[in-house]
Amino acid sequence: MNFRAWRHIADHYTLCLSALALLSGGIFFSLFSQVVLDDTTRVCNLSSFLYVYKDSVAKLTIEDILTGELHEDFVRTTGSTPNLGFTQSVFWFRCDFVNNSKTSRQWIVELAVPSVHRVDYYVVHGDILVKEGKSGFLVSKSQKSTQFRNPSVVLPTFPHGSQVTLYAKVSSQTAILAPFFVREYTTYLSYDRTKEFLLGIYFGALAIMFLYHLYLAISLRDRGYFWLVTLIGCFGLGQMTAVYGYLADWGVSTIAPWLPWLHWINFVAIFAAIQLSREMTASKRYVPRGDQALKLLGMISLALAPASLLISFSLAERLLVLFNMLPLPLFTFAGFMAIRKGHRPALYYLLAGSFFITGIAVYNLMYGFNLFPFSTLIYFVPNITFTIAIAFLSLGLADRIRLVTLDREKSKKQALENLRRALDAERKGRKLEKELSHSRKMEAIGRCLAGIAHDMRNLLGPLANYARLIKVRCSTNDSIRGYVDQLDGSAQRLRELTETLLNTARKKPTTVTHIDLNNTITEVTKLLQHTAPSNVSVANTCASSLPLLTGDQSMIHTALLNIGL
């Protein structure tokens, strides 16, 4: 066989292999572009099987989709959960299902985000529309295709080996995430009951924490607990209404008018979170400029609460997302600065924020990027982390109350010490004032005594002189002389008493002389006998003979008189 023959065989062989590859690739693509439902199917993530079409004008109907030439315009989604963001457009999703089950089974297709505003489902078998339904946050409970909380539809029973196509028309003014799942009916019931049970536990825990911290806020009259209560109440109410769709369960048939109030609640929750962070990080004390920025953001968010009733829903939704993100760097910076300066409640605050942000991140990574497989546990991660965050915030507030109590006790002790010192000073001042008053009184008495003694001395001068004159002229008459001697002695003693009063009342230069202490004590005793009360007796019990002292007569006299007084 020559070279040309071998080359001809090789070309035919290559052509066959290429055709086989194309055929097998087509079969492979065809198989993996359809969801095969068999007896082993329990749950299946549809992200890899979805096709999506963007309806920019939001006017297409299912008839336009089925009868028009739009089938080729549907684009295969990527492996991650479709994340279409904020948009005014309507998106059509398509998914093909093949029944390969040998037994009669029912399957439920759900969009696992209850906050999506409206989802219209259409099930097509061949070219015939066999079932349609609607669901979503804005659809009243009586009009939903199923009574489950997530937007869902029950696929109709179709023959073994046949195929049905599901079209889902999704419209929402919130960010559109499209985590579609198909579950076997009994599996979905178990999943939904478990989810509802966990939601009941979660909101029950929030209610208990709300009431407990409300009691603490009232009893302690602390602003930190008041802001925590506000945050728990608004966040929990916002989750129950805007996220999990409890408005329909509460009997609200037309939900659209309530949508702006949901933003109002969330803006108040942001304001409460900002005020709580300021309290727990003591930003006014440790980060004054950061505190001013937080205060400004808080006032803007509070102003946006009533303003959200007047602006469009989509704009309010974007502002809400923005104000959820803006304070985070300031929160973190204020917390770290407070920890650096020894403010321990800020540590609890950062731990609470870390848990909550981690929960939100895990939730978004599961929905938006499929980094985590969808599961009930991860679905409730934000709820779990928010509960843990509240626990840390409560511990931080308790520690803050402890620090405030210690500061108050320290301030009270300091105030009591200052009061004691002030009272001591006042007591000493009163004592000094009393002593000064007594001194002035004694000085006045002394001046009075000096005046009296001076007048007595002036009167005693003539009396003593006349007594001496009589004594000279009557020197021969002994009987008269005795009387005159007594008169002269009395005048002399009165002169000495007068001199004593004068020495007591006025200051004189120190004169050191020899002093007979008995005479001085006798003089003082006589003076005390005249001034003592009637129930006090004054007696002199000095020794008969005492040695002479050297000193100032007036100072000794004054000292003895003070002792007697």
Side-chain angles (χ1 to χ4, degrees):
M1 188 177 293
N2 56 21
F3 175 75
R4 289 186 177 181
W6 283 107
R7 183 177 178 181
H8 185 70
I9 294 173
D11 290 340
H12 279 282
Y13 181 72
T14 304
L15 183 61
C16 292
L17 287 179
S18 300
L20 182 61
L22 289 174
L23 180 61
S24 61
I27 295 173
F28 178 84
F29 183 79
S30 177
L31 288 176
F32 283 88
S33 64
Q34 298 174 337
V35 180
V36 179
L37 303 176
D38 55 25
D39 292 332
T40 62
T41 303
R42 291 294 179 267
V43 58
C44 178
N45 189 341
L46 303 181
S47 297
S48 301
F49 304 94
L50 291 175
Y51 292 83
V52 62
Y53 174 77
K54 182 178 180 180
D55 179 10
S56 301
V57 295
K59 293 183 178 180
L60 293 178
T61 63
I62 186 62
E63 288 77 13
D64 297 328
I65 297 296
L66 295 179
T67 60
E69 297 179 354
L70 303 176
H71 191 273
E72 300 298 329
D73 294 333
F74 278 81
V75 179
R76 183 74 174 270
T77 60
T78 59
S80 61
T81 301
N83 187 347
L84 306 175
F86 291 97
T87 178
Q88 297 294 327
S89 301
V90 172
F91 289 88
W92 288 83
F93 291 90
R94 191 189 76 210
C95 187
D96 298 322
F97 297 92
V98 175
N99 184 12
N100 201 25
S101 176
K102 297 179 181 179
T103 59
S104 177
R105 292 178 178 273
Q106 280 188 317
W107 286 275
I108 295 180
V109 177
E110 68 157 356
L111 178 57
V113 180
S115 59
V116 173
H117 285 179
R118 184 182 177 96
V119 181
D120 294 314
Y121 290 106
Y122 305 94
V123 183
V124 177
H125 181 56
D127 293 329
I128 302 173
L129 179 64
V130 296
K131 185 172 185 178
E132 61 180 308
K134 52 186 176 181
S135 188
F137 180 68
L138 293 182
V139 180
S140 63
K141 196 171 184 179
S142 60
Q143 296 177 335
K144 287 185 177 181
S145 56
T146 65
Q147 297 305 307
F148 303 117
R149 201 171 303 283
N150 289 346
S152 55
V153 65
V154 180
L155 292 179
T157 303
F158 53 102
H160 175 77
S162 61
Q163 172 184 315
V164 295
T165 301
L166 174 71
Y167 290 93
K169 179 183 177 182
V170 179
S171 59
S172 182
Q173 296 186 58
T174 60
I176 297 179
L177 290 172
F180 280 96
F181 290 85
V182 61
R183 286 183 173 85
E184 193 269 332
Y185 191 83
T186 57
T187 303
Y188 187 87
L189 289 180
S190 176
Y191 153 76
D192 187 70
R193 289 169 184 170
T194 303
K195 185 180 65 175
E196 293 297 315
F197 175 73
L198 294 176
L199 280 175
I201 293 178
Y202 169 67
F203 286 116
L206 283 188
I208 292 173
M209 288 188 287
F210 175 83
L211 294 175
Y212 171 68
H213 291 100
L214 178 62
Y215 165 75
L216 292 178
I218 295 174
S219 59
L220 298 177
R221 297 180 181 178
D222 182 74
R223 288 181 299 180
Y225 281 108
F226 172 76
W227 295 125
L228 181 58
V229 167
T230 306
L231 176 61
I232 295 173
C234 291
F235 187 84
L237 188 60
Q239 278 194 311
M240 292 183 75
T241 55
V243 177
Y244 296 110
Y246 276 84
L247 280 175
D249 294 334
W250 296 343
V252 178
S253 58
T254 306
I255 300 174
W258 293 88
L259 288 182
W261 292 99
L262 303 182
H263 287 140
W264 188 89
I265 293 171
N266 287 319
F267 278 118
V268 173
I270 293 174
F271 174 74
I274 292 174
Q275 299 304 315
L276 179 61
S277 70
R278 293 179 61 205
E279 293 289 334
M280 293 197 66
T281 60
S283 58
K284 186 176 182 180
R285 177 179 179 183
Y286 297 116
V287 196
R289 293 184 179 178
D291 181 73
Q292 292 296 324
L294 286 173
K295 184 186 295 185
L296 178 61
L297 287 176
M299 297 306 296
I300 295 174
S301 63
L302 187 62
L304 286 174
S308 64
L309 304 176
L310 307 175
I311 60 179
S312 65
F313 183 90
S314 58
L315 178 58
E317 190 77 12
R318 287 171 171 82
L319 290 174
L320 186 63
V321 173
L322 177 63
F323 274 84
N324 273 320
M325 302 299 296
L326 276 180
L328 290 180
L330 291 174
F331 289 166
T332 306
F333 177 71
F336 277 114
M337 291 300 296
I339 290 174
R340 282 186 59 188
K341 296 179 181 179
H343 189 64
R344 196 171 65 177
L347 177 61
Y348 292 102
Y349 172 75
L350 287 182
L351 288 173
S354 300
F355 269 94
F356 183 63
I357 292 173
T358 300
I360 296 297
V362 170
Y363 184 81
N364 289 328
L365 289 174
M366 175 190 71
Y367 270 136
F369 300 96
N370 273 350
L371 293 185
F372 299 103
F374 183 89
S375 66
T376 304
L377 177 62
I378 296 181
Y379 182 86
F380 282 98
V381 162
N383 308 68
I384 296 171
T385 53
F386 181 67
T387 306
I388 297 174
I390 292 176
F392 275 114
L393 291 174
S394 181
L395 291 174
L397 286 175
D399 191 58
R400 174 178 166 276
I401 292 295
R402 182 185 65 83
L403 293 177
V404 171
T405 303
L406 290 177
D407 289 341
R408 288 177 181 174
E409 290 179 354
K410 186 177 179 180
S411 299
K412 286 181 180 179
K413 289 181 180 179
Q414 187 64 37
L416 290 174
E417 181 65 20
N418 294 337
L419 180 61
R420 186 185 64 81
R421 291 178 181 177
L423 291 175
D424 289 343
E426 184 179 0
R427 194 179 298 113
K428 290 179 181 179
R430 289 178 180 176
K431 184 177 180 181
L432 291 175
E433 185 179 356
K434 186 181 294 184
E435 290 178 355
L436 179 61
S437 176
H438 180 71
S439 175
R440 289 174 178 173
K441 186 186 297 183
M442 294 303 295
E443 183 179 357
I445 292 173
R447 286 196 298 267
C448 182
L449 287 176
I452 294 172
H454 184 73
D455 292 340
M456 288 177 64
R457 187 175 63 177
N458 292 336
L459 293 173
L460 282 173
L463 181 63
N465 290 333
Y466 279 116
R468 290 193 189 110
L469 182 61
I470 295 173
K471 186 177 180 181
V472 171
R473 291 185 178 182
C474 299
S475 58
T476 57
N477 192 340
D478 293 337
S479 60
I480 295 176
R481 183 182 177 85
Y483 293 125
V484 173
D485 288 339
Q486 291 181 1
L487 180 61
D488 185 43
S490 297
Q492 185 64 31
R493 288 193 296 273
L494 186 58
R495 182 182 290 111
E496 292 175 355
L497 179 60
T498 303
E499 290 295 329
T500 300
L501 290 175
L502 287 173
N503 292 336
T504 303
R506 67 189 180 185
K507 294 182 179 179
K508 295 177 61 179
T510 301
T511 304
V512 179
T513 58
H514 295 290
I515 303 170
D516 184 357
L517 194 59
N518 271 341
N519 292 337
T520 306
I521 292 176
T522 300
E523 293 175 1
V524 172
T525 302
K526 291 178 181 178
L527 186 61
L528 291 173
Q529 286 174 344
H530 290 289
T531 59
S534 59
N535 61 340
V536 176
S537 61
V538 182
N540 185 355
T541 58
C542 292
S544 58
S545 61
L546 291 177
L548 297 177
L549 299 180
T550 300
D552 184 271
Q553 174 71 30
S554 62
M555 293 178 66
I556 296 289
H557 189 278
T558 302
L560 292 173
L561 182 61
N562 286 334
I563 293 173
L565 290 175

